[in-house]
Amino acid sequence: SITNTQVGSSNSTVLKITGSSNTATINQTGSNNQSYGLISGNGNTSTTTQSGNSNLASINLYGDGNNASISQTGNSHSAVLNLVNAGGANTVTVIQTGTGDAYSLGQTCTNPAGCSATVIRNK
């Protein structure tokens, strides 16, 4: 398990995790922060929480049974998610509260019933 907390502006987090049953938690408070995660394996969970303005979160998950969650509070955020599985379920949740937010989501599922996406955008 990895937990990274950053307070202030213009912080960056870059994570690369290979293996199964990992948990990555990123908390960033401030503006112009960036978080990048590349997680490969099965049963992994990635949670990114950002508050402030103009933050970016990017998560790439490869494997089965993975969960990705991004929560952004403030204005002008960007979220980029890419999930690829080989048959097991993957889930993704994006919550953005503010104006000027944007997201991009790509999911590749060999079993379409095994993937889900929830996007909540409050302006």
Side-chain angles (χ1 to χ4, degrees):
S1 294
I2 295 173
T3 300
N4 184 9
T5 301
Q6 296 176 316
V7 178
S9 296
S10 301
N11 294 306
S12 294
T13 296
V14 179
L15 292 176
K16 181 178 180 184
I17 299 171
T18 302
S20 298
S21 302
N22 296 297
T23 301
T25 304
I26 307 299
N27 298 303
Q28 294 177 318
T29 302
S31 297
N32 300 310
N33 293 311
Q34 299 179 4
S35 174
Y36 301 95
L38 174 59
I39 302 172
S40 178
N42 300 317
N44 295 306
T45 300
S46 174
T47 303
T48 302
T49 304
Q50 295 175 317
S51 62
N53 295 311
S54 302
N55 293 314
L56 167 67
S58 176
I59 298 173
N60 292 287
L61 285 173
Y62 300 94
D64 297 329
N66 294 314
N67 298 296
S69 173
I70 294 176
S71 177
Q72 296 172 317
T73 303
N75 298 307
S76 302
H77 296 299
S78 297
V80 179
L81 297 104
N82 184 38
L83 282 77
V84 178
N85 80 357
N90 283 335
T91 61
V92 61
T93 302
V94 176
I95 300 172
Q96 292 177 321
T97 304
T99 59
D101 297 331
Y103 73 94
S104 173
L105 168 63
Q107 266 189 328
T108 302
C109 299
T110 58
N111 178 359
C115 296
S116 69
T118 302
V119 177
I120 299 170
R121 298 179 76 209
N122 297 315
K123 296 181 182 187

